[in-house]
Amino acid sequence: MTSNDITPVILCGGSGTRLWPVSRKSFPKQFIDLIGDGSLFQQSSKRLSGAGFAAPLVVTNSDFRFIATQQLHDAGITPGAVLIEPEARNTAPALLAGAVVQAQSNPQSLMLAAPSDHYITQSDVFCDNVRRGIAAAQAGQIVTFGIKPDKPETGYGYLELGEGDAYGAMPLKRFVEKPKLAEAERMIADGGYLWNAGIFMYTAQTLIDAFAIHAPAMLAQVQASVANAQPDLGFLRLAPDAWAKCEDISVDFAIMEKVDNLSVIAHEGDWSDMGGWNAVHQHADKDADGVALQGRAHAVECSNTLLRSESGAVQLVGLGLENIVAVAMSDAVLVADRSRTSTLGDVVKQMRAADVSQADSFPKDHRPWGFFETLILSQGFQVKRIVVNPGAALSLQSHKFRSEHWIVVVGTAKVTIGDSLDTLNVQLVEENQSVYIPLGAIHRMENPGDTPMELIEVQTGSYLGEDDIVRYQDVYSRGQGAKG
């Protein structure tokens, strides 16, 4: 690492409801393999790694912390720090917390704040543009990266460019909120505007100074939250009391629209914020009729259509479709006119109001040790598929209302079981072998191997909720009643 190395600050909260049903509150779009190699989060992390970049600083929440670190591990990236927000308070407190933490070791450290859900195919072009902004950031400028527009888009904010040069970057005249179509067309014809991508580069001290001037109360609260943060299994949990007092506000509104030291670098390469299914269709491979197929999907006499199956057991067939998005999952199906997909967020709100579980809950439930998915749920019994990562272990636990049968189908399970903590026995359960866990028995499963272990769990009992758990030991420091 050199003094010019840039520390990426990668934000990976959010829900991405306009990409429902693939993206949901419990597993949002940045962690999904939508298009390209790996999830959007992994692509963003790899794009901001290598020569010229330090280890990333990741800001996420408690629910996503293990998902984020597992995906970074799978991408071959070790984070420099992972900050856990006690609650979502928008981008201003999140970016400020990253700067305060970074300033503890080097106030002049260069930082690049980037969302985790953007899709950029020309990483080399983007990184060249980032390097063009280093001199301006080191001189005390906040550098934002705008996207050269190719159409009058009404879903983005815009940057109006000033004249002159600010340390190799263009001065910013003003931010423009999302415009009406006529205004967007005028700005495109003018040529002096860029889309606002929400990507910023600055030194840690420059950002802190901007908050000191324009949002001093938030600076004090974030500094207190960082000062009282607690380490937890390699994460840094920001203190909740001070954090809760932070205003829920974007960094644009909090400081960027107020500072006078903001410069712009134009990125002219391919870019998308993957804000909805039309963006996926636009960037996906398509045939001559504009049909994009993902997963087990087949199209007959279709045009300008996206068909995507998320389940290996579900074959999706489109016949005579035009301008349609159809997405099939094991628990939910979306069929929509492509012109209407921008309103999916409102549809998800309606489902929440109607207590539709699929509005937020994902069929795969991710845990620090792996994941499980429910195959069958009926009165008095439930069947799950459980996948445990290499070397991982579930907590030592018992249940008050259910018994369990485990059938190992891939790998070997190390099973601990007993009537009490003094009578625990350990056994290895191989593929095609099973073990019975009586109601009330203390038990744990582990994967001693170096590849994922998979088993089928059959639960029977009067109550099958995930909170039926008494926890005795847990390497992930979860409390009683915590899931998994």
Side-chain angles (χ1 to χ4, degrees), residues 346-396:
D346 294 331
V347 175
V348 172
K349 290 179 181 177
Q350 293 172 17
M351 288 191 292
R352 285 176 185 154
D355 291 326
V356 177
S357 63
Q358 287 89 340
D360 292 318
S361 298
F362 205 71
K364 279 186 181 179
D365 209 328
H366 290 262
R367 293 287 182 263
W369 43 260
F371 71 86
F372 70 82
E373 57 183 331
T374 297
L375 305 179
I376 301 173
L377 176 59
S378 188
Q379 185 67 36
F381 76 93
Q382 181 172 206
V383 181
K384 291 182 177 179
R385 172 185 174 229
I386 299 177
V387 176
V388 183
N389 294 328
L394 280 69
S395 61
L396 186 67

Side-chain angles (χ1 to χ4, degrees), residues 149-217:
D150 57 7
K151 58 181 180 295
E153 174 63 58
T154 60
Y156 301 144
Y158 285 71
L159 307 171
E160 183 178 1
L161 304 176
E163 296 181 356
D165 183 278
Y167 307 95
M170 294 174 287
L172 177 70
K173 185 174 181 179
R174 67 183 178 108
F175 286 84
V176 180
E177 297 302 316
K178 295 177 182 178
K180 300 292 185 181
L181 180 59
E183 177 66 5
E185 291 173 339
R186 185 196 66 77
M187 289 189 290
I188 295 296
D190 179 274
Y193 296 83
L194 302 173
W195 288 335
N196 179 11
I199 303 172
F200 301 95
M201 184 162 61
Y202 44 80
T203 69
Q205 192 62 53
T206 296
L207 193 73
I208 292 170
D209 290 344
F211 275 90
I213 296 171
H214 300 289

Side-chain angles (χ1 to χ4, degrees), residues 33 95 158 274 284 299 356 467:
D33 294 355
L95 294 182
Y158 285 71
M274 281 296 155
V356 177
D467 56 350

Side-chain angles (χ1 to χ4, degrees), residues 119-137:
Y119 180 66
I120 298 175
T121 57
Q122 298 165 302
S123 294
D124 55 342
V125 174
F126 177 76
C127 290
D128 284 344
N129 290 331
V130 170
R131 284 186 280 270
R132 285 172 49 208
I134 288 177

